[in-house]
Amino acid sequence: MIISEQVAFVTGANRGFGRHLTLELLSRGAKVYAGARNPETIDIPGVTPVKLDITNPQEVAAAAILAKDVTILINNAGSSTGASLLDDDVEKIHLEFDTHFFGTLSMVRTFAPILEKNGGGSILNVLSALSWFSSGTVGAYSAAKAAEWALTNDLRLNLYPHNIRVAGLHVGFMETDMTNSLEVPKSNPADIAKIAVDGIESGSFEIIADDDSRKIQSGLAGGVPALYPYLS
């Protein structure tokens, strides 16, 4: 895939990692639709702002009517309530799943026929190292991301015969508004955006963007003792 010949749609494009993805795509010559709940906050010259809440079916449908030429869909929009599965409001847990699982699914179900009609293309779901690992503190987020990983695996198989490649991006903490309060090592989102777009361009099905994600992935085969050695 030659990025300069593509038309991309990025959700959650107004800030954080989505903004860096949008800038990276633009720098490579792609046409970009930038989706955001508040499109007036998008300040990137050269993009087409689109009002989009991925949990709102009407706004998803309207976005598809506008962006009929899309060949790359990047599902980046997310939420982070910090909710515990045991102690916090169930509404917060629903929000995590409505965004990461059902919202992502809604975008794919709506845009996959467009990609196929345009000759095929790529879908990138922005996942997380926490889709493979729970820290014990943000259970709702980890569970929703794990569900989105399973979603990605299933969609990859079902859309491949339609000439649509579905990739998952696994990454740990990045330097964004969402992680400002965390005193942990963080990646530069501009660097991760480059890795992500490189992965789309090369046709990768799985993009492991940092050392934390690689370490957790390597521990999956070892099961609970490898991932949570303090349990006995």
Side-chain angles (χ1 to χ4, degrees):
M1 173 175 280
I2 301 171
I3 297 299
S4 63
E5 299 175 357
Q6 307 307 314
V7 179
F9 196 117
V10 181
T11 66
N14 59 320
R15 62 189 180 93
F17 186 51
R19 190 174 193 279
H20 287 281
L21 284 167
T22 301
L23 290 169
E24 181 65 27
L25 288 161
L26 283 173
S27 74
R28 300 195 192 195
K31 174 182 175 180
V32 182
Y33 293 96
R37 291 184 178 184
N38 300 301
E40 65 276 6
T41 62
I42 297 171
D43 60 354
I44 304 172
V47 304
T48 301
V50 181
K51 179 173 174 53
L52 178 65
D53 175 350
I54 66 170
T55 68
N56 184 320
Q58 289 75 32
E59 292 191 4
V60 172
I65 292 172
L66 174 67
K68 293 180 179 178
D69 51 348
V70 167
T71 57
I72 297 173
L73 171 65
I74 300 184
N75 290 306
N76 165 75
S79 60
S80 182
T81 65
S84 161
L85 291 174
L86 290 176
D87 303 324
D88 282 299
D89 294 338
V90 172
E91 289 77 10
K92 291 183 178 180
I93 300 170
H94 277 293
L95 174 62
E96 299 281 18
F97 277 84
D98 286 343
T99 305
H100 297 117
F101 184 87
F102 290 107
T104 297
L105 178 59
S106 176
M107 288 295 295
V108 173
R109 285 167 63 105
T110 302
F111 276 86
I114 295 174
L115 268 65
E116 184 176 11
K117 184 178 180 180
N118 291 332
S122 293
I123 296 172
L124 176 66
N125 293 337
V126 177
L127 303 175
S128 170
L130 293 178
S131 60
W132 291 331
F133 177 82
S134 179
S135 65
T137 57
V138 287
Y141 180 86
S142 292
K145 281 298 186 184
E148 189 180 2
W149 175 44
L151 168 82
T152 300
N153 289 333
D154 185 79
L155 294 173
R156 181 181 297 124
L157 298 176
N158 282 283
L159 290 176
Y160 184 74
H162 300 276
N163 198 28
I164 299 172
R165 301 178 79 89
V166 180
L169 172 70
H170 291 270
V171 62
F173 296 109
M174 291 183 283
E175 191 67 61
T176 65
D177 293 346
M178 192 178 290
T179 64
N180 277 345
S181 63
L182 301 178
E183 295 295 330
V184 295
K186 303 170 191 176
S187 299
N188 183 334
D191 294 338
I192 304 301
K194 184 180 186 304
I195 291 169
V197 178
D198 284 345
I200 294 172
E201 191 165 42
S202 66
S204 300
F205 287 114
E206 189 169 59
I207 304 166
I208 314 302
D210 63 357
D211 289 340
D212 286 341
S213 298
R214 281 185 282 273
K215 181 179 179 180
I216 293 170
Q217 184 193 44
S218 69
L220 291 175
V224 171
L227 293 175
Y228 309 102
Y230 47 85
L231 295 178
S232 60

